[in-house]
Amino acid sequence: MRLHLHPVDLRLRHTFTIAHDSRDVQPTLIVALSDEPGGPTGLGEATATRYYGVTIESMTQALEAVRPLIEAHDLTDPAAFWAELHPYLADQPFAACALDQAAWDLWAKRQGKPLYQRWQLDPAQAPLTNYTIGLDTPERMVAKLVEWPWPLYKIKLGRADTDLATIETLRQHTDARFRVDANCGWTVEQTLAFAPELARLGVEFIEQPLPASYRDGARRVFEQSELPIIADESCIVESDVDRCAGLFHGVNIKLTKCGGLTPARRMIERARALNLRVMVGCMTESSVGISAIAQLLPLLDYADLDGALLITNDPATGVTFNDGRIQYADRPGTGAQLVEP
């Protein structure tokens, strides 16, 4: 195999704001594994994020350090490949994620089949994906909602004094279902007070209302909330799934945070064993990353895979969207293909 690294700046349609960050450009790293000469190329992706201290430079350095191991591997089993590289990339899960996605993509392309088919998954069981409305003034959030009609929205919140009024305003402009993500911005009392009002306004669950460290508060909210509570910042790596049992009704798994498709599949299996609902989210990736994550769709209850819809210069093609439903590309692997070499 040969390793190729492609840094790209993804331009966002709108300034994207959550409770602790705003950005107009999303740096991302596309990883390619190729069989040369003339063989297939597997693609994977991970975005940089200030919140987790991940940069393009740190991911590049981590992958360059293990280039000899990567290029010497024959890749007969992507899970074994992940296990071999994990000791060297354990503190670089974003880089590990991009590499793991590329490995699974290449593995399936070598066999000439879509990855979800190789996993024996049925696309008919896939849930809809939401479209995210970033935190902004109510007027601008309404404008974003009207600009992009969708059957299911995820609303970023985190300003407790105005959050409920914001949902009430948005509800006046659509009959779509809502999900809300407070990004650790609420207290226990606020969460419990908001939940019945949000339920009345057509919200189906609340994502990570409390800081991840507040376990006692999470238990109280879990036991008393009128709406289901989904863990995000509280569920980063595999061991976190067990910690979420009894504190959350479900978990939101991010491939970049846990290290790729390989650990994400194990996390899904463990969550099911613990009777937790399963959501998989994204980090505003291009069609490379979204196409890889989408291979997991038939295993999920909820999906937040709108990253490629939020950018204006997608460097790839892959999955497409039809009124909230993701459609796989008619190509082997994850279906991702770069627009330019």
Side-chain angles (χ1 to χ4, degrees), residues 126-137:
L128 299 180
T129 183
N130 56 235
Y131 181 82
T132 303
I133 305 296
L135 185 61
D136 210 324
T137 65

Side-chain angles (χ1 to χ4, degrees), residues 86-237:
H86 180 66
Y88 306 95
L89 297 173
D91 61 347
Q92 291 285 341
F94 282 61
C97 170
L99 181 63
D100 185 61
Q101 290 178 2
W104 281 108
D105 185 29
L106 178 57
W107 177 78
K109 282 177 175 173
R110 284 174 173 175
Q111 299 170 66
K113 293 185 177 181
L115 181 54
Y116 71 86
Q117 284 188 7
R118 291 294 294 115
W119 287 343
Q120 299 181 328
L121 300 180
D122 181 3
Q125 300 176 12
L128 299 180
T129 183
N130 56 235
Y131 181 82
T132 303
I133 305 296
L135 185 61
D136 210 324
T137 65
E139 294 76 18
R140 289 175 180 170
M141 293 174 77
V142 167
K144 296 174 188 177
L145 183 147
V146 172
E147 176 190 39
W148 204 277
W150 209 251
L152 177 60
Y153 293 100
K154 178 175 174 177
I155 313 298
K156 291 286 188 177
L157 300 176
R159 297 169 180 165
D161 55 337
T162 60
D163 282 341
L164 191 56
T166 295
I167 296 298
E168 289 175 335
T169 299
L170 293 174
R171 177 49 71 206
Q172 297 172 19
H173 297 271
T174 181
D175 293 327
R177 287 181 291 155
F178 287 163
R179 300 164 175 173
V180 300
D181 182 1
N183 280 113
C184 310
W186 295 347
T187 66
V188 171
E189 290 72 20
Q190 288 166 341
T191 304
L192 294 176
F194 291 161
E197 295 302 313
L198 293 173
R200 176 180 60 82
L201 291 166
V203 172
E204 62 181 6
F205 64 71
I206 301 170
E207 186 176 340
Q208 197 71 42
L210 309 179
S213 60
Y214 197 6
R215 293 180 60 83
D216 290 341
R219 187 177 303 279
R220 183 180 163 196
V221 167
F222 169 76
E223 293 172 348
Q224 299 180 26
S225 173
E226 189 165 323
L227 284 175
I229 307 297
I230 306 298
D232 184 1
E233 285 84 351
S234 292
C235 189
I236 306 298
V237 296

